DNA sequence: AAATTTGTTAACCAAATGGTTAAACTAATT
DNA sequence: AATTAGTTTAACCATTTGGTTAACAAATTT
């Protein structure tokens, strides 16, 4: 139980902090800017979250726990590799279209402070790929898919799904398309990526 | 011709700035830290580069012009799509193993300040994928590769090559490997990625 | 060798930044 | 009505930060 009776202000702060931290990162974010966005006094940030670091961690943990459990669920359900790929791709691209800053934010901050990972790993719902690895091994033996390292396949799935969101300004410039066209391309990827992946590993 | 006779100090500054900016980003970098790393007085940074912004731009432009011309060359040479993929993958993964912070740095800063892209696009050696697009179209007609959008293929190539460097701390944690093992995985990708890509598009 | 230009340093400065404090306000509880 | 606990504000503070200045040293030019 929290010592605060009313969590309305607390929520307002967290929402504002999410927007600022996720677009500007820890270093680029300013407490005053978060306070302005939350329409409150700067001292309130410290009253509710004590420090910039703790407020940041609240935002970061919430962001991560928004992505990890779903990944873990898909990795460990009973579906085949092919179904997992379809499931993951469709799920995550849809999710990231709605929250385009999330993956870049998480990756950027993990790069900035590698110690964060230890905290995440001790988290209960931190994704575990052991089942996925066994499944890949089995399906290779069964002849369902071509021989491939499970780790490499996992990295490939992740790359094809996440990178277009992390590097969108760069890709937009390279492919030479505007925002709306890029949006269409991302939409198409919900199907394209899983087809591409399955085509790459199916016998 | 530059107004500075001796460019030794200038180089020292640029090298120090590269390390600091590429690991901490524009917002996280401190002028004092750069000066310390270059073993000079902080005022020298301003004497040679006038402001943090200009020093940063020098670093950023150098980083980008280290990557772009090679990409452009590969995209526009006379080799087939399959050869381009092999070429690009081998070249870039080798390069990024040597400069692992570069891609993350560029992507992070393009996200932070989208106006940078306009400057880059006016750059002479900014990559142009028109030839690559025509080639994909032709090879689809010839039946060499399966039908696929050239843009999607390009994004896929980029994703598989670059993402493992941008998101290394996250991937290391998910795949549950230490630094040296991850290094081995990256080395293997020089071959694995092009095989994977070619397998996905070859008829 | 005198004068001028270029390179370097230490001290300094204003603005911004994360954080604190004390007082005032609000709404339950006694 | 008085007390109390929780909430909010404005003013304040110490430190950090990018940037400047003025004096000085070392070349280069005249």
């Amino acid at each position: 139980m929290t010592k605060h009776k009313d969590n309305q202000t607390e929520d307002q702060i967290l929402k504002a902090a999410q927007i600022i931290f996720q677009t500007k990162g820890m270093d680029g974010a300013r407490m005053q800017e978060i306070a302005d966005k939350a329409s409150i006094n700067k001292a309130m940030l410290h009253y509710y979250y004590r420090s910039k670091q703790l407020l940041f961690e609240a935002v970061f943990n919430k962001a991560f726990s928004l992505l990890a459990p779903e990944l873990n669920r898909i990795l460990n359900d009973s579906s085949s590799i092919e179904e997992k790929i379809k499931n993951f791709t469709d799920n995550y691209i849809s999710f990231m279209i709605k929250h385009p800053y999330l993956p870049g934010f998480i990756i950027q901050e993990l790069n900035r402070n590698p110690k964060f990972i230890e905290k995440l790993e001790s988290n209960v719902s931190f994704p575990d790929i052991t089942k996925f690895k066994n499944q890949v091994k089995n399906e290779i033996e069964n002849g369902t898919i071509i021989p491939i390292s499970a780790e490499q396949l996992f990295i490939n799935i992740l790359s094809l799904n996440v990178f277009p969101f992390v590097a969108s300004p760069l890709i937009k410039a390279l492919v030479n398309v505007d925002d709306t066209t890029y949006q269409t391309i991302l939409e198409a990827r919900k199907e394209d990526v899983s087809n591409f992946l399955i085509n790459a590993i199916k016998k």
Side-chain angles (χ1 to χ4, degrees), chain A residues 49-171:
Chain A
Y49 291 92
R50 263 192 49 215
S51 69
K52 187 184 182 184
Q53 179 63 23
L54 288 175
L55 176 54
F56 173 80
E57 283 174 23
V59 170
F60 186 85
N61 290 333
K62 197 182 167 192
F64 194 79
S65 63
L66 215 58
L67 281 165
E70 180 76 350
L71 171 56
N72 210 20
R73 199 189 54 72
I74 296 176
L75 281 171
N76 291 294
D77 70 10
S78 61
S79 60
S80 67
I81 293 288
E82 183 172 341
E83 285 168 327
K84 276 184 167 49
I85 288 173
K86 276 186 183 152
N87 226 323
F88 177 81
T89 299
D90 189 65
N91 254 297
Y92 265 74
I93 295 186
S94 301
F95 178 84
M96 289 186 289
I97 285 175
K98 279 185 209 131
H99 306 89
Y101 289 110
L102 262 194
F105 168 68
I106 289 174
I107 286 166
Q108 182 186 334
E109 296 303 330
L110 284 184
N111 273 314
R112 196 180 59 85
N113 186 1
K115 286 186 181 171
F116 260 167
I117 296 167
E118 293 159 34
K119 275 189 205 163
L120 291 180
E121 280 177 325
S122 62
N123 191 311
V124 268
S125 69
F126 190 83
D128 176 18
I129 66 163
T130 16
K131 179 166 183 182
F132 175 83
K133 273 158 73 175
N134 287 329
Q135 234 179 323
V136 169
K137 204 175 140 198
N138 287 337
E139 294 210 18
I140 290 172
E141 281 167 8
N142 295 346
T144 328
I145 61 174
I146 61 160
I148 185 171
S149 145
E151 283 89 354
Q152 298 286 9
L153 176 58
F154 180 72
I155 294 174
N156 291 349
I157 296 173
L158 221 55
S159 300
L160 291 175
N161 278 293
V162 182
F163 188 71
F165 292 89
V166 174
S168 59
L170 177 65
I171 299 178

Side-chain angles (χ1 to χ4, degrees), chain A residues 11 26 28 33 98 196:
Chain A
D11 278 4
M26 170 69 166
E33 204 181 353
K98 279 185 209 131
F196 189 87

